[in-house]
Amino acid sequence: MNTKIFNKFLTVFAVGSLALSSMTSCSDDILETKNLSTYTSDELCSNAISARKMIDNVYAYFCEDSYTSRMSTNWMQNNDVEIGFVNATQAVGSDRRAIWALNPSYFGDIKTCWENSQKAIDFANQCIEGIEKSDLFNKGDKDMKQLHGEAYCLRAYWYWLMCNFWADVPFATTPTTESNMHNDPRTDKNIIYSHCIQDLINVEEEMQWDDVMTVERMNREFALGFIVKLAMFRAGYSMQADGTMARSTGTGEEYTVTYKDENGNEATATAPDDYYKVAKAYALKLISLRDRELTPKFKTIFDNEINGCNPNRGDVIFEMGYTPNSGGDIGWCLGLSVTSSSKGSGTSYTMLTPSYACSFDPQDQRLPVTCQSYAWLYDNKQKATNAVGIQPAKWCRMDLNVNTVESKGTGINFPVLRWADVLLLLAEADNEINNGPTALAKQMLTRVRARAFNNADNYAQAVTEYVAELNSYDQFRQAIINERAWEFGGEMIRKFDLVRWNYYSDAIVNTIEWIRNVGMNLQQLKIENGEFIYDKNKAIEQMNIAPRLYYTYEKGEVKFKNNYFTYVNPGESPYKEAEALTDDAINEAGAGATFDGLKYVKFMDYFFSVSDTDPTTKAKYGTYLDDNGNEVAIKKGVLAENIRSSWFGLTDGVLITGAEDLSGLRSKPTPYVMPIPTDKVNSSNGVLSNDGYGIRNK
């Protein structure tokens, strides 16, 4: 059943005659209502129909650009998987690209995202207060109980987002009123996580399963699964006020959660390691109550989202539900790019790193679903894309059944929590608890990999033998880090996984070094005196990485002749006769052009330009005498600017030419925290500031 929960909602004003918001609908079908400022929250939430309308106003903030094309998608990138490549100028600008480059400066979008997050939370607080005063709720009405749980889930999710982007944030559990404007200071995010975990523990049993609520509402499965995720964040690392990465050291009631462990015994969690046990207990509870098999075909998950939603008790626990022409930016700013078509257009601001694409096993069915090196220009016409154009292919607007969809507001759903996420979090928690993987941890990892290699020739090697050989804590932890990349690429959860692991800087350095090392090998470069020097005698190691991708055209579609893992020598036939095609050349050829002959796009030879001329001064580098006394031009390589700039917040002052030793960056915190909007700081009367937290541009 595809309910598309964001299709209708009210234009609502806060109680106590304080106008909080006038939201833009995800649909043109807005219910016309009178001003509600004279009503109290308990009147507005006195019955299930009215309370549902109030709850839907919290969901409605997921339809705003602040969420659909900012906080859920493009602000989640520039890690080792998802990336928005930027140049040096963009890296120091005051717009979204500086956020991608981990060097955010305050601008209007940051204010909008902050304000909408707080409005959504305040609306959730109104709903909670109103429902808890309802006679129906207090008499145990099942619909009111579900709505009560949804309100807590929504509040927890929005606080999780805020803590991800702004670290410690103001925390309020009561609505804003004229007498309490909530000019609150920053609260330790670990207090917020603990409070939200306890809330969900307290309400999850009153909620309904997804076969009643569908996966487009925050159901009981989500409440249980989100307890698991929040507990893993509570156990993990985060940016502290002093600019360091650390786990919580807080003690006392506000840092403590009371819960039942997997054996049904009362337990408490205060220290970070305790929260691994919370995650394990609630993952096991969810599995015991609602286990299910993963869908054998990985692409089915995303096909369901393109033209509807995922079924209950399937791969997705909760996904944002949108209606075509009304909401959702998947296929607009995330997914396979489409220049212009009968189904609209969209340009993905998110790409995938070549190191990530090449990290897959070639037989992993997730690879072609996740990574593709082509985009659509027009109906029935594609173009091949180079190494900085690896597309996140899980969603494509060309697969829509709707032919009249607008470019923005595709209606394509977006996953927030999947079953595989819970399985891998359980495996990770178990490894942490036992300082090494037990049979349970290996079983959970096996379940995810078994689907990935379903019907693969190398199933035994890639699944059974692979998991069996993971016997130490470090081995299994790295396996989880890798598996979550392969499973969730393009779903924009990697950034804050890296934060909680305190692995963000390592991941960035690994990515840059991989690109540099592979590019140097294929371009026959070596580092001398801090420069990339060409050496024609340097042997090219067989790293099973393609320097270029070669293809032909069939009825306007790109058909690759080699993949990411196939090395071919560009200097040998037929490859040396291959031609590059520009977008203009494809367009000028007209519809149905066949483009006879072999074509290519640069892959790993994209990242270095090798020349005898300095690209800045235009002066020749000079010559040297070879062993035979012949004069030979000196050639040098230059690492691509977008590799030197795309993680600028971390690499600033260290990565200049690309030849530097980057090992020192591994111990430097990645500055992911954004500044609180300037006017919010100024109007707080000294309560808020942007001091600390690794914030680069206050």
Side-chain angles (χ1 to χ4, degrees):
M1 184 171 71
N2 184 8
T3 60
K4 295 300 177 189
I5 63 173
F6 304 132
N7 194 43
K8 298 179 180 180
F9 68 94
L10 296 169
T11 300
V12 178
F13 294 89
V15 299
S17 70
L18 174 66
L20 281 184
S21 64
S22 179
M23 298 174 292
T24 303
S25 175
C26 283
S27 171
D28 292 331
D29 189 13
I30 303 174
L31 298 179
E32 295 295 334
T33 67
K34 65 179 182 179
N35 192 308
L36 302 179
S37 63
T38 59
Y39 292 88
T40 61
S41 61
D42 48 315
E43 290 174 319
L44 291 169
C45 295
S46 61
N47 60 76
I49 294 175
S50 297
R52 168 55 66 198
K53 293 175 181 178
M54 287 288 287
I55 291 289
D56 281 356
N57 277 281
V58 188
Y59 280 108
Y61 283 101
F62 295 131
C63 297
E64 298 290 329
D65 279 355
S66 56
Y67 181 82
T68 58
S69 62
R70 307 296 193 275
M71 297 175 75
S72 67
T73 52
N74 303 134
W75 285 8
M76 289 284 205
Q77 63 190 5
N78 285 41
N79 48 68
D80 58 339
V81 173
E82 296 107 355
I83 187 165
F85 289 103
V86 301
N87 60 37
T89 300
Q90 293 167 336
V92 296
S94 295
D95 62 14
R96 62 194 175 201
R97 289 173 177 82
I99 292 178
W100 305 349
L102 304 169
N103 188 43
S105 295
Y106 172 66
F107 68 112
D109 283 359
I110 292 178
K111 177 181 177 181
T112 301
C113 289
W114 173 274
E115 289 181 339
N116 281 359
S117 298
Q118 290 206 313
K119 289 175 184 176
I121 289 167
D122 196 76
F123 238 120
N125 285 334
Q126 292 181 54
C127 293
I128 291 167
E129 181 182 86
I131 291 170
E132 288 179 349
K133 292 179 179 178
S134 161
D135 288 340
L136 284 174
F137 171 77
N138 288 299
K139 290 177 181 179
D141 181 87
K142 65 180 179 62
D143 292 328
M144 294 297 284
K145 291 287 188 180
Q146 165 63 27
L147 291 164
H148 184 242
E150 278 184 69
Y152 273 109
C153 286
L154 286 161
R155 185 172 77 181
Y157 182 73
W158 278 106
Y159 267 125
W160 176 73
L161 284 174
M162 288 198 77
C163 290
N164 282 338
F165 286 108
W166 288 282
D168 302 335
V169 298
F171 184 50
T173 59
T174 58
T176 301
T177 64
E178 286 183 311
S179 61
N180 185 1
M181 297 298 291
H182 280 304
N183 185 26
D184 301 313
R186 289 184 186 258
T187 297
D188 182 351
K189 70 190 77 62
N190 293 293
I191 294 175
I192 299 174
Y193 291 151
S194 300
H195 197 289
C196 291
I197 291 167
Q198 190 69 68
D199 287 341
L200 299 190
I201 288 173
N202 294 343
V203 302
E204 58 90 2
E205 290 188 349
E206 71 185 25
M207 298 182 70
Q208 297 173 22
W209 299 115
D210 67 3
D211 51 359
V212 177
M213 298 311 303
T214 83
V215 300
E216 294 181 313
R217 293 227 183 250
M218 290 184 174
N219 47 54
R220 189 179 177 192
E221 280 102 329
F222 176 77
L224 286 164
F226 203 53
I227 290 170
V228 178
K229 176 156 281 194
L230 281 173
M232 296 301 283
F233 274 76
R234 174 66 175 81
Y237 287 81
S238 60
M239 183 69 76
Q240 305 301 301
D242 65 0
T244 64
M245 296 293 293
R247 301 170 77 194
S248 175
T249 58
T251 59
E253 184 178 352
E254 59 192 351
Y255 289 94
T256 300
V257 161
T258 302
Y259 71 103
K260 288 186 178 180
D261 67 18
E262 61 263 36
N263 299 314
N265 300 317
E266 291 287 338
T268 59
T270 301
D273 283 349
D274 296 340
Y275 281 88
Y276 291 126
K277 297 176 183 178
V278 176
K280 180 178 180 180
Y282 282 86
L284 287 172
K285 181 175 184 178
L286 178 53
I287 290 170
S288 70
L289 293 172
R290 296 288 287 183
D291 201 3
R292 73 285 307 272
E293 296 298 319
L294 296 173
T295 303
K297 188 177 180 182
F298 188 62
K299 185 64 167 68
T300 299
I301 303 168
F302 312 102
D303 288 342
N304 287 339
E305 292 177 333
I306 293 170
N307 288 299
C309 71
N310 276 284
N312 65 290
R313 209 155 182 169
D315 275 83
V316 175
I317 294 173
F318 172 67
E319 62 187 41
M320 293 298 173
Y322 296 109
T323 301
N325 299 318
S326 299
D329 283 351
I330 308 305
W332 163 251
C333 65
L334 178 66
L336 278 175
S337 295
V338 179
T339 300
S340 179
S341 76
S342 60
K343 298 181 180 181
S345 63
T347 300
S348 182
Y349 292 139
T350 297
M351 299 299 165
L352 302 170
T353 66
S355 54
Y356 170 63
C358 292
S359 72
F360 280 89
D361 184 301
Q363 293 196 55
D364 189 333
Q365 69 158 310
R366 296 171 296 193
L367 171 59
V369 176
T370 306
C371 306
Q372 287 291 350
S373 289
Y374 71 87
W376 290 92
L377 290 175
Y378 304 99
D379 290 350
N380 304 315
K381 188 180 290 188
Q382 296 174 347
K383 67 171 182 177
T385 55
N386 61 28
V388 294
I390 301 173
Q391 303 271 305
K394 289 177 175 175
W395 311 272
C396 180
R397 68 186 307 123
M398 297 299 288
D399 294 330
L400 283 164
N401 293 333
V402 180
N403 290 321
T404 56
V405 66
E406 297 290 334
S407 292
K408 185 175 173 62
T410 62
I412 297 173
N413 282 9
F414 189 59
V416 172
L417 186 64
R418 295 207 277 115
W419 192 252
D421 200 347
V422 173
L423 299 181
L424 291 177
L425 289 172
L426 173 54
E428 181 185 344
D430 189 68
N431 185 57
E432 295 290 342
I433 292 166
N434 296 288
N435 196 34
T438 65
L440 174 65
K442 290 188 174 185
Q443 178 191 4
M444 296 302 109
L445 177 57
T446 297
R447 289 182 65 173
V448 176
R449 287 189 68 80
R451 191 257 298 280
F453 291 90
N454 182 38
N455 296 324
D457 294 338
N458 65 341
Y459 179 94
Q461 178 185 7
V463 181
T464 309
E465 295 174 17
Y466 174 86
V467 175
E469 292 172 359
L470 300 171
N471 293 315
S472 73
Y473 167 84
D474 288 336
Q475 285 178 321
F476 198 83
R477 181 177 186 270
Q478 190 60 53
I480 290 294
I481 290 172
N482 295 341
E483 200 67 40
R484 290 184 67 81
W486 296 321
E487 180 71 20
F488 302 114
E491 295 176 51
M492 315 308 282
I493 66 174
R494 182 67 167 182
K495 180 173 185 174
F496 295 113
D497 272 347
L498 294 172
V499 169
R500 68 180 178 84
W501 292 324
N502 196 23
Y503 195 68
Y504 206 158
S505 299
D506 282 294
I508 292 171
V509 172
N510 291 344
T511 301
I512 296 171
E513 288 186 342
W514 186 92
I515 291 170
R516 180 175 68 185
N517 293 341
V518 173
M520 286 175 60
N521 175 57
L522 294 174
Q523 297 280 51
Q524 295 175 282
L525 295 170
K526 58 187 179 183
I527 296 178
E528 288 184 355
N529 300 320
E531 295 183 302
F532 297 106
I533 305 299
Y534 172 72
D535 181 357
K536 68 176 182 180
N537 297 315
K538 186 174 183 288
I540 298 175
E541 298 177 24
Q542 292 305 309
M543 303 174 72
N544 298 321
I545 304 293
R548 295 179 176 181
L549 297 177
Y550 295 87
Y551 65 99
T552 58
Y553 264 98
E554 293 182 19
K555 298 180 179 179
E557 295 189 3
V558 171
K559 302 296 180 182
F560 287 102
K561 310 304 289 185
N562 67 315
N563 58 26
Y564 302 138
F565 314 100
T566 308
Y567 174 81
V568 294
N569 188 341
E572 295 180 352
S573 294
Y575 306 109
K576 70 178 181 180
E577 286 82 31
E579 299 176 338
L581 279 177
T582 64
D583 292 358
D584 288 343
I586 299 172
N587 293 335
E588 289 171 4
T594 58
F595 300 105
D596 293 337
L598 195 63
K599 312 300 177 187
Y600 78 88
V601 288
K602 288 188 173 184
F603 191 56
M604 288 313 298
D605 69 350
Y606 169 90
F607 293 105
F608 280 96
S609 56
V610 179
S611 174
D612 62 0
T613 302
D614 186 300
T616 303
T617 66
K618 308 304 179 184
K620 297 289 185 180
Y621 289 122
T623 61
Y624 71 96
L625 297 178
D626 65 14
D627 293 340
N628 298 318
N630 298 317
E631 192 173 46
V632 179
I634 297 172
K635 293 183 180 180
K636 297 182 182 181
V638 178
L639 182 63
E641 180 182 1
N642 51 21
I643 300 303
R644 291 179 278 125
S645 300
S646 291
W647 298 274
F648 181 80
L650 178 67
T651 62
D652 179 23
V654 176
L655 184 63
I656 309 300
T657 68
E660 295 83 6
D661 177 6
L662 304 181
S663 59
L665 295 177
R666 295 182 181 277
S667 59
K668 177 184 176 183
T670 296
Y672 68 90
V673 177
M674 297 196 302
I676 295 174
T678 303
D679 62 338
K680 303 301 177 184
V681 173
N682 293 340
S683 64
S684 72
N685 295 319
V687 172
L688 296 176
S689 79
N690 281 313
D691 295 337
Y693 297 100
I695 298 171
R696 290 171 55 85
N697 304 300
K698 299 178 183 180

